[in-house]
Short mmCIF file of all heavy atoms in Angstrom, two decimals:
data_model
loop_
_atom_site.label_atom_id
_atom_site.label_comp_id
_atom_site.label_asym_id
_atom_site.label_seq_id
_atom_site.Cartn_x
_atom_site.Cartn_y
_atom_site.Cartn_z
N VAL A 1 1.16 5.43 1.54
CA VAL A 1 1.14 4.65 0.22
C VAL A 1 0.56 5.55 -0.83
O VAL A 1 -0.22 6.35 -0.66
CB VAL A 1 0.50 3.34 0.22
CG1 VAL A 1 0.93 2.31 1.31
CG2 VAL A 1 -0.99 3.43 0.70
N THR A 2 1.04 5.25 -2.14
CA THR A 2 0.52 6.00 -3.19
C THR A 2 -0.37 4.99 -4.09
O THR A 2 0.07 3.96 -4.43
CB THR A 2 1.76 6.50 -4.18
OG1 THR A 2 2.49 7.37 -3.33
CG2 THR A 2 1.17 7.27 -5.38
N ARG A 3 -1.53 5.37 -4.51
CA ARG A 3 -2.47 4.66 -5.19
C ARG A 3 -3.16 5.39 -6.27
O ARG A 3 -3.50 6.50 -6.16
CB ARG A 3 -3.44 4.04 -4.25
CG ARG A 3 -2.97 3.10 -3.27
CD ARG A 3 -2.62 1.60 -4.00
NE ARG A 3 -2.28 0.65 -3.03
CZ ARG A 3 -1.05 0.48 -2.44
NH1 ARG A 3 0.06 1.27 -2.99
NH2 ARG A 3 -0.74 -0.60 -1.69
N GLY A 4 -3.45 4.57 -7.40
CA GLY A 4 -4.41 5.11 -8.41
C GLY A 4 -5.77 4.67 -8.15
O GLY A 4 -6.03 3.94 -7.06
N PRO A 5 -6.77 4.75 -9.03
CA PRO A 5 -8.05 4.32 -8.82
C PRO A 5 -8.25 2.83 -8.55
O PRO A 5 -8.95 2.53 -7.51
CB PRO A 5 -8.80 4.70 -10.02
CG PRO A 5 -8.06 5.73 -10.69
CD PRO A 5 -6.54 5.50 -10.34
N LEU A 6 -7.67 1.95 -9.24
CA LEU A 6 -7.82 0.54 -9.14
C LEU A 6 -7.12 0.12 -7.86
O LEU A 6 -7.61 -0.76 -7.05
CB LEU A 6 -7.31 -0.28 -10.32
CG LEU A 6 -8.23 -0.02 -11.62
CD1 LEU A 6 -7.53 -0.93 -12.63
CD2 LEU A 6 -9.62 -0.41 -11.43
N GLY A 7 -5.99 0.72 -7.50
CA GLY A 7 -5.20 0.36 -6.39
C GLY A 7 -5.97 0.79 -5.12
O GLY A 7 -5.94 0.10 -4.08
N LEU A 8 -6.55 1.99 -5.17
CA LEU A 8 -7.36 2.41 -3.99
C LEU A 8 -8.45 1.60 -3.83
O LEU A 8 -8.92 1.25 -2.54
CB LEU A 8 -7.76 3.86 -4.14
CG LEU A 8 -8.63 4.46 -3.06
CD1 LEU A 8 -7.86 4.49 -1.69
CD2 LEU A 8 -9.02 5.96 -3.43
N LEU A 9 -9.17 1.15 -4.89
CA LEU A 9 -10.43 0.33 -4.78
C LEU A 9 -9.98 -1.16 -4.23
O LEU A 9 -10.67 -1.64 -3.22
CB LEU A 9 -11.10 0.10 -6.06
CG LEU A 9 -11.93 1.34 -6.52
CD1 LEU A 9 -12.45 1.04 -7.93
CD2 LEU A 9 -13.14 1.53 -5.57
N ASP A 10 -8.84 -1.69 -4.61
CA ASP A 10 -8.43 -2.90 -4.10
C ASP A 10 -8.14 -2.79 -2.60
O ASP A 10 -8.51 -3.66 -1.85
CB ASP A 10 -7.15 -3.40 -4.80
CG ASP A 10 -7.41 -3.84 -6.24
OD1 ASP A 10 -8.58 -4.07 -6.69
OD2 ASP A 10 -6.39 -3.89 -7.01
N LEU A 11 -7.42 -1.81 -2.18
CA LEU A 11 -7.14 -1.58 -0.78
C LEU A 11 -8.47 -1.33 0.14
O LEU A 11 -8.66 -2.03 1.12
CB LEU A 11 -6.29 -0.27 -0.61
CG LEU A 11 -5.73 -0.07 0.85
CD1 LEU A 11 -4.32 0.66 0.61
CD2 LEU A 11 -6.63 0.76 1.63
N LEU A 12 -9.36 -0.59 -0.40
CA LEU A 12 -10.59 -0.37 0.33
C LEU A 12 -11.46 -1.61 0.41
O LEU A 12 -12.09 -1.85 1.42
CB LEU A 12 -11.47 0.81 -0.26
CG LEU A 12 -10.91 2.18 -0.14
CD1 LEU A 12 -11.52 3.20 -1.03
CD2 LEU A 12 -10.86 2.67 1.36
N GLU A 13 -11.57 -2.33 -0.58
CA GLU A 13 -12.37 -3.53 -0.58
C GLU A 13 -11.80 -4.66 0.31
O GLU A 13 -12.52 -5.29 1.06
CB GLU A 13 -12.41 -4.23 -2.00
CG GLU A 13 -13.43 -3.41 -2.95
CD GLU A 13 -13.23 -3.82 -4.43
OE1 GLU A 13 -12.31 -4.44 -4.73
OE2 GLU A 13 -14.08 -3.26 -5.13
N VAL A 14 -10.39 -4.67 0.36
CA VAL A 14 -9.84 -5.64 1.43
C VAL A 14 -10.18 -5.19 2.77
O VAL A 14 -10.57 -6.02 3.74
CB VAL A 14 -8.28 -5.67 1.22
CG1 VAL A 14 -7.75 -6.46 2.23
CG2 VAL A 14 -7.92 -6.40 -0.07
N GLN A 15 -9.98 -3.87 3.15
CA GLN A 15 -10.17 -3.40 4.48
C GLN A 15 -11.62 -3.57 4.88
O GLN A 15 -12.01 -3.60 6.06
CB GLN A 15 -9.72 -1.83 4.60
CG GLN A 15 -8.23 -1.87 4.49
CD GLN A 15 -7.77 -0.51 5.02
OE1 GLN A 15 -8.43 0.36 5.56
NE2 GLN A 15 -6.29 -0.23 4.84
N LEU A 16 -12.60 -3.39 3.91
CA LEU A 16 -14.00 -3.41 4.12
C LEU A 16 -14.64 -4.85 4.06
O LEU A 16 -15.87 -5.00 4.30
CB LEU A 16 -14.78 -2.47 3.22
CG LEU A 16 -14.44 -0.91 3.49
CD1 LEU A 16 -15.13 -0.14 2.25
CD2 LEU A 16 -15.02 -0.53 4.85
N GLY A 17 -13.83 -5.80 3.73
CA GLY A 17 -14.30 -7.20 3.56
C GLY A 17 -15.17 -7.38 2.44
O GLY A 17 -16.03 -8.26 2.44
N LEU A 18 -15.01 -6.65 1.33
CA LEU A 18 -15.94 -6.74 0.16
C LEU A 18 -15.29 -7.88 -0.80
O LEU A 18 -14.07 -7.75 -0.97
CB LEU A 18 -16.01 -5.42 -0.52
CG LEU A 18 -16.81 -4.36 0.23
CD1 LEU A 18 -16.75 -3.07 -0.46
CD2 LEU A 18 -18.28 -4.76 0.50
N PRO A 19 -15.93 -8.55 -1.52
CA PRO A 19 -15.45 -9.43 -2.48
C PRO A 19 -14.76 -8.79 -3.55
O PRO A 19 -15.28 -7.86 -4.09
CB PRO A 19 -16.61 -10.34 -3.01
CG PRO A 19 -17.83 -9.39 -2.75
CD PRO A 19 -17.53 -8.66 -1.46
N PRO A 20 -13.50 -9.18 -3.88
CA PRO A 20 -12.82 -8.54 -5.01
C PRO A 20 -13.43 -8.88 -6.32
O PRO A 20 -14.02 -9.97 -6.59
CB PRO A 20 -11.44 -9.19 -4.90
CG PRO A 20 -11.62 -10.59 -4.35
CD PRO A 20 -12.74 -10.43 -3.31
N VAL A 21 -12.95 -7.98 -7.41
CA VAL A 21 -13.53 -8.34 -8.76
C VAL A 21 -12.25 -8.83 -9.36
O VAL A 21 -11.24 -8.22 -9.68
CB VAL A 21 -13.97 -7.01 -9.34
CG1 VAL A 21 -14.39 -7.21 -10.87
CG2 VAL A 21 -15.13 -6.34 -8.66
N ILE A 22 -12.32 -10.14 -9.74
CA ILE A 22 -11.11 -10.80 -10.26
C ILE A 22 -11.23 -11.30 -11.70
O ILE A 22 -10.27 -11.77 -12.39
CB ILE A 22 -10.72 -12.13 -9.53
CG1 ILE A 22 -12.02 -13.10 -9.55
CG2 ILE A 22 -10.39 -11.70 -8.06
CD1 ILE A 22 -11.74 -14.39 -8.83
N ALA A 23 -12.30 -10.76 -12.38
CA ALA A 23 -12.57 -11.09 -13.80
C ALA A 23 -11.58 -10.33 -14.66
O ALA A 23 -11.31 -9.22 -14.41
CB ALA A 23 -14.04 -10.93 -14.11
N THR A 24 -11.17 -10.97 -15.79
CA THR A 24 -10.38 -10.30 -16.77
C THR A 24 -11.14 -9.39 -17.54
O THR A 24 -12.51 -9.55 -17.68
CB THR A 24 -9.56 -11.29 -17.60
OG1 THR A 24 -10.58 -12.02 -18.52
CG2 THR A 24 -8.83 -12.24 -16.78
N SER A 25 -10.53 -8.43 -18.41
CA SER A 25 -11.22 -7.52 -19.27
C SER A 25 -12.03 -8.41 -20.38
O SER A 25 -13.12 -8.06 -20.80
CB SER A 25 -10.38 -6.51 -19.89
OG SER A 25 -9.26 -7.16 -20.53
N ALA A 26 -11.33 -9.48 -20.69
CA ALA A 26 -11.97 -10.35 -21.77
C ALA A 26 -13.26 -11.09 -21.22
O ALA A 26 -14.18 -11.22 -21.93
CB ALA A 26 -10.97 -11.49 -22.24
N ASP A 27 -13.17 -11.46 -20.06
CA ASP A 27 -14.31 -12.15 -19.40
C ASP A 27 -15.61 -11.13 -19.39
O ASP A 27 -16.65 -11.46 -19.58
CB ASP A 27 -14.08 -12.61 -17.88
CG ASP A 27 -13.09 -13.79 -17.85
OD1 ASP A 27 -13.02 -14.47 -18.95
OD2 ASP A 27 -12.41 -13.89 -16.85
N THR A 28 -15.19 -9.93 -18.97
CA THR A 28 -16.26 -8.84 -18.74
C THR A 28 -16.84 -8.52 -20.11
O THR A 28 -18.14 -8.40 -20.41
CB THR A 28 -15.54 -7.57 -18.27
OG1 THR A 28 -15.01 -7.82 -17.00
CG2 THR A 28 -16.61 -6.40 -18.21
N LEU A 29 -15.95 -8.43 -21.15
CA LEU A 29 -16.44 -8.15 -22.62
C LEU A 29 -17.22 -9.25 -23.06
O LEU A 29 -18.42 -8.99 -23.61
CB LEU A 29 -15.16 -7.92 -23.51
CG LEU A 29 -15.43 -7.69 -25.03
CD1 LEU A 29 -16.17 -6.37 -25.02
CD2 LEU A 29 -14.14 -7.65 -25.81
N MET A 30 -16.93 -10.52 -22.81
CA MET A 30 -17.79 -11.62 -23.38
C MET A 30 -19.16 -11.67 -22.58
O MET A 30 -20.13 -11.95 -23.18
CB MET A 30 -16.98 -12.84 -23.22
CG MET A 30 -15.81 -13.15 -24.10
SD MET A 30 -16.35 -12.92 -25.98
CE MET A 30 -15.89 -11.15 -26.28
N ALA A 31 -19.12 -11.38 -21.34
CA ALA A 31 -20.34 -11.34 -20.60
C ALA A 31 -21.29 -10.28 -21.07
O ALA A 31 -22.50 -10.47 -21.24
CB ALA A 31 -20.06 -11.14 -19.10
N TYR A 32 -20.81 -9.11 -21.42
CA TYR A 32 -21.51 -7.96 -21.90
C TYR A 32 -22.06 -8.24 -23.24
O TYR A 32 -23.14 -7.90 -23.60
CB TYR A 32 -20.82 -6.68 -21.86
CG TYR A 32 -21.73 -5.46 -21.93
CD1 TYR A 32 -22.63 -5.13 -21.00
CD2 TYR A 32 -21.73 -4.69 -23.02
CE1 TYR A 32 -23.37 -4.05 -21.02
CE2 TYR A 32 -22.62 -3.61 -23.23
CZ TYR A 32 -23.42 -3.28 -22.26
OH TYR A 32 -24.26 -2.12 -22.29
N ARG A 33 -21.21 -8.95 -24.14
CA ARG A 33 -21.52 -9.28 -25.45
C ARG A 33 -22.87 -10.15 -25.45
O ARG A 33 -23.81 -10.09 -26.20
CB ARG A 33 -20.55 -9.90 -26.16
CG ARG A 33 -20.82 -10.39 -27.55
CD ARG A 33 -19.78 -11.31 -28.23
NE ARG A 33 -20.15 -11.64 -29.40
CZ ARG A 33 -19.36 -12.44 -30.25
NH1 ARG A 33 -18.21 -12.94 -29.83
NH2 ARG A 33 -19.83 -12.91 -31.44
N ALA A 34 -22.86 -11.21 -24.36
CA ALA A 34 -23.89 -12.05 -24.33
C ALA A 34 -25.20 -11.36 -23.96
O ALA A 34 -26.36 -11.70 -24.53
CB ALA A 34 -23.59 -13.08 -23.37
N CYS A 35 -25.17 -10.43 -23.08
CA CYS A 35 -26.31 -9.59 -22.69
C CYS A 35 -26.79 -8.81 -24.03
O CYS A 35 -28.06 -8.73 -24.21
CB CYS A 35 -25.99 -8.52 -21.60
SG CYS A 35 -25.55 -9.43 -20.00
N LEU A 36 -25.95 -8.19 -24.77
CA LEU A 36 -26.39 -7.57 -25.98
C LEU A 36 -27.08 -8.51 -26.93
O LEU A 36 -28.07 -8.16 -27.48
CB LEU A 36 -25.26 -6.84 -26.62
CG LEU A 36 -24.57 -5.65 -25.97
CD1 LEU A 36 -23.26 -5.26 -26.51
CD2 LEU A 36 -25.49 -4.48 -25.97
N ALA A 37 -26.50 -9.62 -27.16
CA ALA A 37 -27.15 -10.70 -28.04
C ALA A 37 -28.40 -11.07 -27.57
O ALA A 37 -29.35 -11.23 -28.44
CB ALA A 37 -26.16 -11.83 -28.17
N GLU A 38 -28.70 -11.14 -26.36
CA GLU A 38 -29.91 -11.67 -25.79
C GLU A 38 -31.01 -10.58 -25.94
O GLU A 38 -32.25 -11.01 -26.18
CB GLU A 38 -29.81 -12.01 -24.26
CG GLU A 38 -31.02 -12.80 -23.70
CD GLU A 38 -30.76 -13.34 -22.47
OE1 GLU A 38 -29.63 -13.80 -22.06
OE2 GLU A 38 -31.69 -13.60 -21.63
N VAL A 39 -30.74 -9.36 -26.00
CA VAL A 39 -31.86 -8.33 -26.09
C VAL A 39 -31.82 -7.86 -27.60
O VAL A 39 -32.79 -7.09 -27.89
CB VAL A 39 -31.68 -7.20 -25.20
CG1 VAL A 39 -31.67 -7.60 -23.80
CG2 VAL A 39 -30.46 -6.35 -25.45
N ASP A 40 -30.95 -8.22 -28.38
CA ASP A 40 -30.74 -7.71 -29.77
C ASP A 40 -31.98 -7.98 -30.66
O ASP A 40 -32.63 -9.07 -30.47
CB ASP A 40 -29.54 -8.36 -30.49
CG ASP A 40 -29.32 -7.65 -31.80
OD1 ASP A 40 -29.62 -6.53 -32.01
OD2 ASP A 40 -28.67 -8.37 -32.65
N ALA A 41 -32.46 -6.95 -31.40
CA ALA A 41 -33.44 -7.12 -32.35
C ALA A 41 -33.38 -5.90 -33.23
O ALA A 41 -32.72 -4.86 -32.96
CB ALA A 41 -34.84 -7.06 -31.55
N PRO A 42 -34.03 -6.00 -34.53
CA PRO A 42 -34.04 -4.94 -35.42
C PRO A 42 -34.29 -3.59 -34.90
O PRO A 42 -33.50 -2.62 -35.37
CB PRO A 42 -35.06 -5.33 -36.56
CG PRO A 42 -34.97 -6.95 -36.45
CD PRO A 42 -34.78 -7.12 -35.01
#
């Protein structure tokens, strides 16, 4: 099979029984924004 980075990671995680990362890019962005807001200060 031919795979790129994300395709290879998906395949390896399945074979190793690791939980997949299913969050969207928007979910990730909003989660990181919340972290920035929590530590934000002048």
Side-chain angles (χ1 to χ4, degrees):
V1 296
T2 299
R3 291 288 186 272
L6 295 179
L8 179 60
L9 284 173
D10 288 342
L11 186 152
L12 288 169
E13 287 169 347
V14 168
Q15 293 195 6
L16 294 171
L18 295 171
V21 178
I22 58 176
T24 66
S25 57
D27 292 335
T28 302
L29 179 63
M30 290 301 99
Y32 195 70
R33 177 189 177 183
C35 295
L36 288 170
E38 190 164 331
V39 303
D40 186 28

